[in-house]
């Protein structure tokens, strides 16, 4: 017993340490994991004719029906929804090119920067080098929240309105 009335406990042997940080991965492992995610999403893409068939859209009969539709359609069409979100992301970056202002010669449509004529590939490279930092430093928060908001609204509206026909009812329980 100590002076404060607490009993001393002696631990013998080695105390194991726990690493609570993120796992250390090599660039090859990161690349393989990213390519694995993209390939699994690409293999999970359903035919676009099923995804946008106007004959399958109907108003859900209740909130429970809408919830079941959302769950079933997100499971079935997750690859298609991923592509739509990816396209929205690309659209937001390409749409940001309006921030990039260059001096154009109206007679021949050539782009000049600091008096040097740029080829189309140089124009695109410069556009990416300028726009990506502007996207992240200028309005990254609003762009990211715009992408998230539009994605959620589109996915939920589509998934709740598209009727489904489950083949095995026991898998939904």
């Amino acid at each position: 017993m100590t002076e404060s009335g607490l009993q001393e406990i002696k631990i013998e042997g080695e105390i194991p340490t726990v690493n609570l940080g993120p796992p250390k991965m090599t660039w090859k492992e990161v690349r393989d994991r990213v390519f694995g995610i993209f390939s699994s999403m690409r293999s999970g893409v359903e035919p676009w004719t099923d995804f946008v068939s106007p004959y399958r859209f109907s108003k859900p009969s209740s909130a429970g029906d809408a919830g079941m539709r959302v769950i079933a359609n997100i499971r079935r069409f997750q690859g298609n929804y991923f592509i739509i979100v990816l396209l929205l992301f690309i659209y937001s970056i390409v749409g940001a090119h309006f921030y990039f202002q260059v001096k154009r010669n109206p007679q021949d449509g050539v782009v000049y920067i600091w008096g040097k004529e740029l080829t189309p590939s140089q124009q695109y490279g410069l556009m990416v080098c300028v726009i990506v930092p502007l996207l992240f430093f200028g309005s990254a928060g609003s762009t990211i929240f715009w992408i998230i908001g539009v994605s959620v609204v589109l996915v939920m509206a589509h998934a709740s309105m598209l009727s489904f026909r489950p083949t095995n009812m026991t898998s939904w329980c």
Side-chain angles (χ1 to χ4, degrees):
M1 288 256 174
T2 62
E3 292 178 9
S4 62
L6 298 175
Q7 184 179 4
E8 287 185 19
I9 299 174
K10 293 185 179 184
I11 300 174
E12 296 180 10
E14 189 176 323
I15 299 173
T17 59
V18 178
N19 183 8
L20 297 178
K24 296 184 180 186
M25 298 175 64
T26 64
W27 283 109
K28 184 181 181 315
E29 292 171 336
V30 171
R31 186 193 66 193
D32 292 343
R33 183 172 289 185
V34 169
F35 283 138
I37 291 170
F38 279 113
S39 66
S40 68
M41 285 294 177
R42 194 175 68 225
S43 67
V45 174
E46 292 288 326
W48 290 97
T49 54
D50 291 346
F51 186 72
V52 294
S53 173
Y55 302 110
R56 295 189 57 213
F57 283 93
S58 64
K59 180 181 168 190
S61 60
S62 66
D65 183 36
M68 288 291 290
R69 286 183 180 195
V70 167
I71 291 170
N73 287 325
I74 287 178
R75 283 182 184 167
R76 179 173 178 201
F77 295 111
Q78 72 180 9
N80 300 68
Y81 292 132
F82 177 76
I83 290 173
I84 288 174
V85 171
L86 188 65
L87 289 174
L88 283 171
F89 179 75
I90 292 169
Y91 169 75
S92 68
I93 289 177
V94 171
H97 81 279
F98 293 113
Y99 294 124
F100 181 55
Q101 306 228 344
V102 295
K103 181 181 176 189
R104 288 187 171 266
N105 187 346
Q107 285 83 15
D108 55 5
V110 177
V111 175
Y112 291 95
I113 301 237
W114 296 301
K116 183 181 182 224
E117 180 179 339
L118 298 179
T119 66
S121 61
Q122 289 173 331
Q123 292 174 29
Y124 287 121
L126 183 62
M127 186 173 70
V128 168
C129 290
V130 170
I131 288 174
V132 170
L134 282 176
L135 175 70
F136 286 107
F137 295 125
S139 62
S142 63
T143 302
I144 289 170
F145 283 112
W146 179 85
I147 293 169
I148 291 170
V150 170
S151 299
V152 167
V153 168
L154 285 176
V155 168
M156 294 302 278
H158 180 271
S160 65
M161 300 298 281
L162 188 68
S163 63
F164 70 99
R165 294 179 200 93
T167 56
N168 186 359
M169 290 304 287
T170 59
S171 66
W172 299 102
C173 300

